[in-house]
């Protein structure tokens, strides 16, 4: 099998990475092109050894919160045409579930996550680097709604976490990583022109 095209999509929490990924994924599926999606979130470190109170206080917006060594090994395996078994992460318990998930190699792999462009050693593993650039107030609104609805959080806990880690770490790590991107996408995950441009680049690269 030809080496896959690995596309990294990064940006702030709540910036619309997931929507952009979904839209790209659907476009390739509609063309009958096998594409797989992998999320950096799966690589948050296991914290079974810590009590819940300590897990709740952890900084999840620092690059060290992720097991990037494992992500790197998995990207290499996918490049070599081998399947991977990635960890399954639970945002409610802040740790990994016992079971893993299998992901088979495919001609296009879309990877999405907040710190993907902030680790220089990960950059050579990507063929296309995309940064979703969305105003922070919009990111925060989306995050509040999502974390309360889907991640078992209270409004107060979301606000506290945002002030103490999410916002400062964004400025320290994510915002500077924007300059490593090949393409910066404004207007979030539904920017149709950006989607079309990226789709056509990928189609050409695959020919
Ligand atoms: N996070 C958390 N608790 C954990 C692990 C992670 O609150 N136990 C938070 C981190 O604070 C980080 C966020 O999860 O900021 C990363 O997920 P995010 O990028 O928000 O999710 P996506 O849905 O992938 O992104 P988008 O909203 O851009 O679609």
């Amino acid at each position: 099998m030809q080496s896959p095209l690995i596309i990294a999509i990064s940006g702030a929490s709540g910036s619309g990475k997931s929507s952009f990924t979904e839209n790209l994924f659907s476009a390739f599926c509609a063309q009958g092109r096998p594409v797989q999606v992998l999320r950096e979130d799966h690589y948050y470190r296991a914290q079974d050894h810590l009590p819940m109170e300590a897990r709740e206080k952890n900084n999840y917006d620092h690059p060290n919160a992720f097991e990037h060594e494992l992500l790197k090994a998995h990207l290499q395996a996918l490049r070599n045409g081998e399947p991977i078994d990635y960890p399954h992460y639970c945002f409610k318990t802040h740790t990994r579930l016992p079971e893993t998930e299998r992901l088979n190699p495919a001609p296009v792999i879309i990877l999405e996550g907040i710190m993907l462009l902030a680790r220089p050693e990960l950059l050579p593993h990507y063929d296309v680097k995309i940064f979703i650039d969305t105003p922070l107030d919009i990111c925060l609104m989306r995050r509040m709604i999502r974390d309360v609805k889907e991640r078992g959080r209270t409004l107060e806990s979301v606000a506290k976490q945002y002030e103490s880690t999410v916002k400062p770490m964004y400025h320290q790590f994510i915002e500077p990583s924007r300059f490593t991107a090949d393409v910066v996408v404004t207007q979030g995950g539904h920017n149709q022109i950006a989607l079309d441009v990226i789709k056509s680049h990928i189609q050409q690269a695959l020919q």
Side-chain angles (χ1 to χ4, degrees), residues 12-18 41 44 60-61 89 91 94 112 114 143 146 151 153 161 166:
S13 168
S15 58
K17 301 179 294 295
S18 303
D41 288 350
Y44 270 117
Y60 295 101
D61 291 85
Y89 189 76
F91 285 92
H94 306 276
E112 104 35 24
I114 55 173
R143 182 176 168 119
R146 187 217 36 217
R151 294 188 180 175
R153 311 291 166 88
Q161 187 189 11
V166 179

Side-chain angles (χ1 to χ4, degrees), residues 81-95:
E82 296 157 13
I84 59 163
D85 293 313
Y86 63 83
H88 204 150
Y89 189 76
C90 172
F91 285 92
K92 290 188 179 155
T93 57
H94 306 276
T95 195

Side-chain angles (χ1 to χ4, degrees), residues 51-67:
M52 189 53 100
E53 206 179 301
R55 294 183 201 175
E56 282 168 358
K57 286 192 189 133
N58 203 0
N59 179 354
Y60 295 101
D61 291 85
H62 191 282
N64 292 345
F66 297 92
E67 196 182 349

